[in-house]
Amino acid sequence: MRSLILSLALCFFSIPNLLHARDILIPADYFPPWKIAKNGKIIGGIDFHLIATLLDGLEFTPHYELLPWKRCLVIMESGDGDLISGVTMTKERQKYLTYLAPPYKTKSQKVLFVYRGTRASFKTLKDMEHKTIGVLRGASYFPGFFENQAIMKYETNDDLQGMKMVAAGRLDGFLITKENGEYLLKENPQIKKDLEMSIWKYDKRVEVYFAISKKSKMIMRIDELEKRLKYLVESGEVEKIINNSLK
């Protein structure tokens, strides 16, 4: 009887650790400089460092799985993934994601990379009509783009593929976040000489979030996560990590 009581007591006192010290799966796409991959694994990037800072002291051990962006969202919807970064808010995604407030990024300038010498041909969104524009599969862009049926869209699994297709003359342009495009060109000088940014740009406010799958065990600690995120944003720590990484 005494041994049974002792066993129950040990189980009871171990429950908090079981509840808090847990492995979590983070699906992530190759999205430099935010998510940097090598040899099939996420090894760094701005989001990588932000997540480490966000989870510091919360007893979660993150494990990354490198996947195309659309597959990342599927993993989050099924509940196999726990936490995702770099996600914008849409009605469809709100069905299976709980967004952490506040957004950690509110500026996301979208640019169009085109073949060198054609930048002046794209001054407005209308100039993309009857052209084939590359987009990242599963990505959400801005009002008026996907709704415009006259713009022909071609989906790619990653941004580098799209940039290479423009350089090869297979696409008229590729839509991408400015710093992502600049990073890719810096890392790939062989295509940098063939591409440039068009005159058209989209630089209105775009909110970017961390989000938790509604089926994840992390959902029980939303309040703690949001409290810590709010501190990191308001203290300037998030901006500091982003700026240091972009130097």
Side-chain angles (χ1 to χ4, degrees):
M1 182 67 177
R2 182 175 296 176
S3 62
L4 176 60
I5 293 174
L6 178 61
S7 297
L8 289 173
L10 289 173
C11 288
F12 176 80
F13 286 114
S14 67
I15 285 175
N17 289 329
L18 291 174
L19 288 175
H20 298 302
R22 297 186 178 183
D23 291 349
I24 58 170
L25 179 64
I26 303 174
D29 62 329
Y30 175 61
F31 195 60
W34 301 89
K35 289 164 276 187
I36 298 174
K38 185 177 182 180
N39 298 325
K41 295 182 179 180
I42 295 291
I43 60 167
I46 299 171
D47 282 6
F48 183 90
H49 295 299
L50 288 175
I51 289 173
T53 304
L54 175 65
L55 298 180
D56 185 36
L58 295 182
E59 301 93 22
F60 286 116
T61 302
H63 297 278
Y64 287 85
E65 185 170 357
L66 181 63
L67 297 165
W69 178 247
K70 192 169 184 178
R71 182 63 182 160
C72 290
L73 295 174
V74 170
I75 291 291
M76 292 299 293
E77 185 173 10
S78 70
D80 292 325
D82 295 287
L83 171 68
I84 193 169
S85 65
V87 64
T88 55
M89 189 179 295
T90 68
K91 289 183 179 180
E92 180 61 30
R93 293 172 185 173
Q94 283 181 294
K95 294 176 183 178
Y96 59 89
L97 294 178
T98 296
Y99 288 81
L100 298 182
Y104 68 94
K105 182 185 176 190
T106 57
K107 296 178 181 179
S108 184
Q109 188 181 61
K110 298 296 181 183
V111 298
L112 183 72
F113 275 92
V114 297
Y115 199 81
R116 189 168 296 278
T118 66
R119 70 185 302 267
S121 299
F122 298 90
K123 298 178 181 177
T124 67
L125 191 63
K126 189 172 179 61
D127 291 331
M128 296 185 204
E129 293 180 357
H130 312 299
K131 300 289 194 303
T132 303
I133 304 300
V135 296
L136 181 66
R137 182 174 284 111
S140 176
Y141 287 91
F142 46 86
F145 177 70
F146 277 113
E147 297 87 344
N148 190 331
Q149 299 301 312
I151 301 175
M152 294 174 282
K153 294 93 176 175
Y154 183 92
E155 294 186 330
T156 65
N157 284 327
D158 61 65
D159 292 320
L160 183 58
Q161 178 190 355
M163 302 281 271
K164 287 180 176 179
M165 290 180 72
V166 176
R170 296 174 58 193
L171 293 174
D172 294 301
F174 187 76
L175 272 177
I176 189 172
T177 302
K178 182 181 179 182
E179 60 264 25
N180 297 62
E182 291 177 336
Y183 179 91
L184 286 174
L185 291 187
K186 183 178 70 173
E187 294 295 305
N188 296 273
Q190 71 275 16
I191 62 173
K192 181 178 181 179
K193 61 183 176 60
D194 294 324
L195 301 184
E196 63 181 348
M197 280 186 282
S198 71
I199 291 176
W200 174 90
K201 293 177 179 64
Y202 184 90
D203 56 4
K204 294 183 180 179
R205 180 182 174 94
V206 177
E207 295 181 337
V208 181
Y209 293 85
F210 293 112
I212 306 296
S213 170
K214 289 185 176 180
K215 296 180 182 179
S216 170
K217 50 187 171 284
M218 294 183 77
I219 208 75
M220 301 298 293
R221 304 188 68 184
I222 288 292
D223 289 345
E224 290 176 82
L225 287 164
E226 287 197 324
K227 182 179 180 180
R228 179 154 180 78
L229 178 59
K230 183 179 180 182
Y231 167 76
L232 292 173
V233 170
E234 293 182 351
S235 68
E237 185 63 24
V238 166
E239 185 177 7
K240 180 181 176 182
I241 291 173
I242 292 174
N243 291 338
N244 287 343
S245 300
L246 291 175
K247 287 181 179 178

